[in-house]
Amino acid sequence: MLDCRELAKRLLKAEENHKAVSCITEKNPEFDIAMGYQVQNELVQLKKDQGHKILAYKMGITSQAKMKQMNINEPIYGYIFDYMNVPDEGELVIEDFIHPKVEAEIAFILGEDVEGPNMTMEEVLSKTEWVLPALEIIDSRYTDFVFKLPDVVADNTSAARVVFGKRRFRPNEYELDAIGVTMFTNGELRADGVSAAVLGNPANSVAVLANMLSHDGKGKIAKGSIILSGGITEAIMVNKGDSVTANYDGMGSVSFQVR
Ligand code: OOG
Ligand code: MG
């Protein structure tokens, strides 16, 4: 029998020591997605026990670019914690990570509760108060950033940091499926895409999250919650000294420095 609490402690240590560990499925081929979420639950509890608070939900593997890059084709969810928040134009310290990557996303802030199991994109849009651009920094705790779906679920979907844009927007001001994004490191274009890449419309990703949470007995997404809807483009490796900027059509840019 696998001990989910012990597996969660091992992942937490990997994050705290910035040292990768082998993935769980390597030695335990029976480790499945349901067990992955059990380990994630334990990991979330361990972080709460340390005094950290959940800042946002996150969806992962919601675009073709990400599915192709990670060789996984199913959306997953996890949690962003308060200690992961970096201000726009802020700084990351490379030593705090194992092998960080950055991806451009659209974030939602809900004006009303959103609850599965039958949530739709249209209903999410009507219940969204704000949308804003965000960069997610992911940092798999597994060696070489290689894993199977149950492993990455256990690892809280590689969540590491988030940078929200300074300005927020009303959802009805935008065609939320038509936001073009370009991502640069040190002035060089590294990735680009359009928000429709995220399940046709990033609002759909929020609907899928609500339905997954309902299915898993985790209740509704409460009014005021923040949701990261998933990378629009593939994730780009970040290195010491990098200056990272993403431009979002009509929504300005989000950036950070790596020292
Ligand atoms: C898993 C996390 C994926 C996204 O936006 O697709 C994710 C990973 O790629 O390590 O956050
Ligand atoms: Mg992401």
Side-chain angles (χ1 to χ4, degrees):
M1 255 304 269
L2 284 173
D3 184 334
C4 289
R5 185 121 184 135
E6 282 310 312
L7 290 168
K9 283 186 185 163
R10 180 169 166 267
L11 285 165
L12 184 63
K13 249 177 89 180
E15 179 182 346
E16 289 172 347
N17 300 337
H18 327 125
K19 261 185 100 91
V21 294
S22 62
C23 56
I24 304 166
T25 54
E26 199 175 293
K27 289 196 187 102
N28 309 280
E30 77 281 14
F31 189 73
D32 62 14
I33 297 174
M35 293 161 100
Y37 280 107
Q38 279 176 37
V39 174
Q40 187 191 101
N41 293 345
E42 295 288 348
L43 183 59
V44 166
Q45 192 54 52
L46 290 171
K47 287 177 189 286
K48 285 181 174 169
D49 293 346
Q50 291 181 325
H52 300 307
K53 295 200 165 48
I54 289 174
L55 174 70
Y57 294 88
K58 62 163 284 190
M59 283 292 275
I61 324 286
T62 49
S63 67
Q64 282 295 332
K66 287 289 300 183
M67 287 180 193
K68 218 170 119 199
Q69 182 179 32
M70 307 320 291
N71 202 15
I72 288 173
N73 59 7
E74 204 177 308
I76 53 179
Y77 64 82
Y79 301 88
I80 307 277
F81 282 82
D82 49 3
Y83 72 89
M84 299 178 175
N85 196 18
V86 174
D88 188 16
E89 299 179 67
E91 211 172 61
L92 298 185
V93 180
I94 198 74
E95 285 80 14
D96 289 345
F97 302 90
I98 302 167
H99 37 211
K101 297 183 186 180
V102 58
E103 47 193 25
E105 310 205 4
I106 305 284
F108 287 70
I109 302 176
L110 300 182
E112 289 177 57
D113 294 353
V114 164
E115 186 166 15
N118 299 310
M119 188 47 55
T120 61
M121 179 187 94
E122 289 76 15
E123 208 173 331
V124 166
L125 283 173
S126 75
K127 293 181 169 174
T128 297
E129 188 168 21
W130 301 104
V131 291
L132 66 162
L135 292 176
E136 189 189 15
I137 292 87
I138 54 173
D139 193 28
S140 176
R141 267 58 69 168
Y142 299 116
T143 308
D144 298 333
F145 230 111
V146 174
F147 44 72
K148 296 207 164 73
L149 191 58
D151 298 303
V152 66
V153 166
D155 186 25
N156 190 26
T157 65
S158 310
R161 295 291 184 275
V162 64
V163 186
F164 292 108
K166 285 195 201 75
R167 289 183 55 207
R168 37 179 73 179
F169 304 87
R170 296 293 181 190
N172 56 10
E173 288 174 41
Y174 290 90
E175 298 295 339
L176 279 185
D177 59 354
I179 299 169
V181 177
T182 48
M183 192 154 62
F184 296 82
T185 61
N186 309 314
E188 184 192 340
L189 179 66
R190 301 293 304 282
D192 63 344
V194 177
S195 55
V198 175
L199 301 177
N201 185 318
N204 204 23
S205 176
V206 179
V208 170
L209 172 64
N211 295 338
M212 289 174 87
L213 291 171
S214 162
H215 175 268
D216 293 350
K218 290 177 178 167
K220 64 187 181 190
I221 314 176
K223 170 185 173 172
S225 294
I226 308 173
I227 303 109
L228 281 178
S229 59
I232 295 167
T233 65
E234 73 270 28
I236 300 300
M237 197 66 101
V238 297
N239 298 295
K240 194 179 177 117
D242 278 354
S243 166
V244 179
T245 301
N247 299 322
Y248 295 71
D249 286 349
M251 288 187 169
S253 61
V254 186
S255 64
F256 65 88
Q257 298 278 336
V258 188
R259 88 167 144 83

